[in-house]
Amino acid sequence: MHDLLFYFDMAGVFVFAISGALAAVRKGMDLFGIIVLALMPAVGGGTIRDLVLDQPVFWIVSTHSIWVALIAAGLTFLFARHLESRMRWLIWADAAGLALFCVVGAEKALVVSGSPMVAIMLGVTTGVAGGVIRDVICNEIPLVMRVDEYFYATAAFFGAGVYCLMDYLGYAGPIALWAAIATAFTTRAMAILKGWRLPKALR
Amino acid sequence: MHDLLFYFDMAGVFVFAISGALAAVRKGMDLFGIIVLALMPAVGGGTIRDLVLDQPVFWIVSTHSIWVALIAAGLTFLFARHLESRMRWLIWADAAGLALFCVVGAEKALVVSGSPMVAIMLGVTTGVAGGVIRDVICNEIPLVMRVDEYFYATAAFFGAGVYCLMDYLGYAGPIALWAAIATAFTTRAMAILKGWRLPKALR
Amino acid sequence: MHDLLFYFDMAGVFVFAISGALAAVRKGMDLFGIIVLALMPAVGGGTIRDLVLDQPVFWIVSTHSIWVALIAAGLTFLFARHLESRMRWLIWADAAGLALFCVVGAEKALVVSGSPMVAIMLGVTTGVAGGVIRDVICNEIPLVMRVDEYFYATAAFFGAGVYCLMDYLGYAGPIALWAAIATAFTTRAMAILKGWRLPKALR
């Protein structure tokens, strides 16, 4: 079961890295910029999570994610043209990556801190912080905070929240993990299909 | 005495969070953006301080600050209109928050590192780094580094510096804390009232 | 031999700090902005490296770098006019700083993690991350990721890579250090003289 999680995780890293690499291509950056912006969404959120939890940074312990992100950056560098026309496919893969990242992040934070509040915050951080850094480096307001994004952080919040709830109710392990991942993915998918968005403040 | 400090601290978190939430509202961000930008000034500087000092991050140890910042974000979301017209009141509350943050940050850094230099740097960091992150995410040159700001970082510097000086002279505990907080607040308040600003470089 | 390395290191900090201070002057920032932007390139990359490696942050252990960066900021504040006309001299000093930072960073990361992959990543990070933060705060796309920069990160990559290779081949200590530093400096110098740049993605 954890093998399946590992392959999902690498798939999430791959797709997140492509999102960053494509942003770099769109900004006309060079190969180094493409690599850095591929790494940010792929490992940035998890790095902040591990630093805040005072745990060994996951890509120091095992460099799999780095290699996968580098391969994604290289492929994007070579085939950027073809990838852009497959944006629709990428959005769904990205939703899967987000669902996985936020739940795995929440699980780790819950084990270390014991606080559902911290678990939800760092679950969302794992899912979205790398993308925020990507957008900040690209000199843009982060996509995840804009009204034109469909429940991105919200999906991560629901995923992390459902995991904490199930853990609290005693459904530990794979059941809680997959239920939470399904919740996050469904939330994001429905929001994209139905056009759901978070409101702005009343002014 | 430390109870009083706790309530002051929460008040500082509350006002700093409102400053971030209002920035998000002004940029037309959605509710998630408002929450993130509320959290940045409220807990960002202290998080960097704790990471650099290799101490447990304060909001992992106790989540009070997070709750207060979330409440501030929620209230700003609902009542942004009314808050904007009370900007003058907010500036003074912000000055109080800054004074407290920089001195409490300097105290913690001095205890851990023993170096006044490190204490002053991390005191200023605690006071201003969260606001810098807020402005960077908003895609703006940080307010605290601009000539049109009145002694913001300078007030934090004086607050942290006076605390270190009094500690060096043997006035430990509450006396040093409150004298330093008063120094920082007075510096900022005088600068606002008199229009004092830091100079630009001669060119 | 390590004394020589120390003086080189301080010279690198000095020049990197000037690069940040000048960026702040160009943006019309005040004295505090000049100090912050001087500190970012000077100690920012090494700080991230130490946090990720879970090592004590180097400028907490020894504040030499902070003092040198503050002096550089002060001199830039006073003599910005004269420095700008010496940009050509600064570029070469910056290349030397980059060469040293990336190799020293790679050495530290290799000792702590034992992984050449991690060593190269954190070597490059030590060399360029501070400059990225400087540019992000200045609200600009980081120079190091733009096509108009000559092999900046590439030079850091070669420096860190050569160090790891020589370490792997058994040439530990000063020989590996200086060979790697020479490689990084030569790469950067040749790229500047010959106009070498990294390619953009094909679109």
Side-chain angles (χ1 to χ4, degrees):
Chain A
M1 205 63 175
H2 259 77
D3 275 358
L4 186 57
L5 210 60
F6 172 78
Y7 291 115
F8 261 65
D9 194 18
M10 289 304 116
V13 167
F14 189 78
V15 173
F16 271 43
I18 288 181
S19 83
L22 279 178
V25 170
R26 253 176 261 127
K27 285 280 170 178
M29 290 184 187
D30 68 11
L31 180 56
F32 178 70
I34 293 172
I35 290 173
V36 171
L37 283 206
L39 285 169
M40 285 305 143
V43 306
T47 302
I48 294 177
R49 175 201 62 210
D50 291 345
L51 289 178
V52 166
L53 289 174
D54 202 15
Q55 295 292 301
V57 173
F58 69 101
W59 53 267
I60 300 278
V61 178
S62 154
T63 54
H64 292 296
S65 303
I66 302 290
W67 286 109
V68 169
L70 289 178
I71 291 168
L75 291 175
T76 307
F77 176 74
L78 294 173
F79 306 115
R81 243 167 329 167
H82 310 285
L83 276 169
E84 299 253 33
S85 60
R86 273 158 192 75
M87 283 304 275
R88 200 154 306 157
W89 179 84
L90 274 176
I91 284 174
W92 297 106
D94 182 86
L98 173 69
L100 195 91
F101 276 31
C102 69
V103 173
V104 170
E107 183 209 20
K108 188 166 185 180
L110 191 58
V111 169
V112 174
S113 76
S115 154
M117 173 60 145
V118 170
I120 291 175
M121 276 198 61
L122 292 180
V124 174
T125 301
T126 309
V128 312
V132 169
I133 300 173
R134 173 199 64 204
D135 296 342
V136 163
I137 292 181
C138 282
N139 208 354
E140 285 180 0
I141 303 266
L143 187 60
V144 66
M145 298 179 184
R146 286 199 303 240
V147 175
D148 39 318
E149 185 56 272
Y150 305 106
F151 270 26
Y152 199 92
T154 312
F157 173 76
F158 282 164
V162 164
Y163 181 79
C164 289
L165 187 68
M166 293 198 68
D167 181 89
Y168 179 75
L169 297 175
Y171 298 93
I175 299 172
L177 272 177
W178 290 108
I181 291 170
T183 304
F185 183 78
T186 310
T187 307
R188 170 76 172 151
M190 289 296 291
I192 294 172
L193 293 175
K194 301 281 184 181
W196 293 340
R197 290 164 179 180
L198 276 185
K200 290 207 272 189
L202 302 168
R203 293 194 83 176
Chain B
M1 207 62 174
H2 260 77
D3 276 358
L4 186 56
L5 210 60
F6 172 79
Y7 291 115
F8 261 64
D9 194 17
M10 289 305 115
V13 166
F14 189 78
V15 173
F16 271 42
I18 288 180
S19 84
L22 279 178
V25 170
R26 254 175 261 126
K27 285 280 169 178
M29 291 184 187
D30 67 10
L31 179 56
F32 177 70
I34 293 172
I35 290 172
V36 171
L37 283 207
L39 286 169
M40 285 305 143
V43 306
T47 303
I48 294 177
R49 175 200 62 210
D50 291 345
L51 290 178
V52 166
L53 289 175
D54 201 15
Q55 295 293 301
V57 173
F58 70 99
W59 53 267
I60 300 278
V61 177
S62 153
T63 54
H64 291 296
S65 304
I66 302 291
W67 286 108
V68 170
L70 289 179
I71 291 167
L75 291 175
T76 309
F77 177 74
L78 294 172
F79 305 112
R81 242 168 329 166
H82 309 286
L83 278 168
E84 299 253 35
S85 58
R86 274 158 192 72
M87 283 305 273
R88 199 155 306 157
W89 180 85
L90 274 176
I91 285 175
W92 295 106
D94 182 85
L98 172 70
L100 194 90
F101 276 31
C102 69
V103 174
V104 170
E107 182 208 21
K108 188 166 184 179
L110 191 59
V111 169
V112 174
S113 76
S115 154
M117 173 61 145
V118 169
I120 290 174
M121 276 198 61
L122 292 180
V124 175
T125 301
T126 309
V128 311
V132 169
I133 300 174
R134 173 199 65 203
D135 295 343
V136 163
I137 291 181
C138 282
N139 209 355
E140 285 180 358
I141 303 265
L143 186 60
V144 65
M145 300 179 182
R146 289 198 301 240
V147 175
D148 39 319
E149 185 57 270
Y150 305 106
F151 271 26
Y152 199 90
T154 313
F157 172 77
F158 282 163
V162 164
Y163 180 79
C164 289
L165 187 67
M166 293 198 68
D167 181 89
Y168 179 76
L169 297 176
Y171 298 93
I175 299 172
L177 273 176
W178 291 108
I181 291 170
T183 305
F185 182 80
T186 310
T187 307
R188 170 75 173 151
M190 290 296 291
I192 293 172
L193 293 173
K194 302 280 184 183
W196 292 340
R197 290 164 179 180
L198 276 186
K200 290 207 272 188
L202 302 169
R203 295 194 81 177
Chain C
M1 205 64 175
H2 259 76
D3 275 359
L4 186 55
L5 209 62
F6 173 79
Y7 291 115
F8 262 64
D9 194 18
M10 289 304 115
V13 166
F14 189 77
V15 173
F16 271 43
I18 288 179
S19 83
L22 279 179
V25 170
R26 254 175 262 125
K27 286 280 170 178
M29 291 184 187
D30 66 12
L31 179 57
F32 177 70
I34 293 171
I35 290 173
V36 171
L37 283 206
L39 284 169
M40 285 304 142
V43 307
T47 303
I48 294 177
R49 175 200 63 211
D50 291 345
L51 289 178
V52 166
L53 290 174
D54 202 14
Q55 294 293 301
V57 173
F58 70 100
W59 55 267
I60 300 278
V61 178
S62 153
T63 55
H64 292 296
S65 305
I66 302 290
W67 286 109
V68 170
L70 289 178
I71 292 168
L75 292 175
T76 308
F77 176 74
L78 294 173
F79 306 114
R81 244 168 329 167
H82 310 285
L83 277 169
E84 299 253 35
S85 59
R86 273 156 192 76
M87 282 306 274
R88 201 157 304 158
W89 178 85
L90 274 177
I91 285 174
W92 296 106
D94 181 87
L98 173 69
L100 194 91
F101 276 31
C102 69
V103 174
V104 170
E107 184 210 19
K108 187 166 186 180
L110 191 58
V111 170
V112 174
S113 76
S115 153
M117 173 59 144
V118 170
I120 291 175
M121 275 198 61
L122 292 181
V124 175
T125 300
T126 309
V128 312
V132 168
I133 299 174
R134 173 199 64 204
D135 295 343
V136 163
I137 292 181
C138 283
N139 209 353
E140 285 179 358
I141 302 265
L143 187 61
V144 66
M145 299 179 182
R146 288 200 300 240
V147 174
D148 39 318
E149 184 57 89
Y150 305 106
F151 271 27
Y152 199 92
T154 313
F157 173 77
F158 283 163
V162 164
Y163 180 80
C164 290
L165 187 67
M166 294 198 68
D167 181 89
Y168 180 75
L169 297 175
Y171 298 93
I175 300 171
L177 272 176
W178 290 107
I181 291 169
T183 305
F185 182 79
T186 310
T187 307
R188 171 72 174 154
M190 289 296 291
I192 293 172
L193 294 173
K194 302 281 184 183
W196 292 339
R197 290 164 179 182
L198 276 186
K200 290 206 272 187
L202 302 167
R203 293 194 81 176

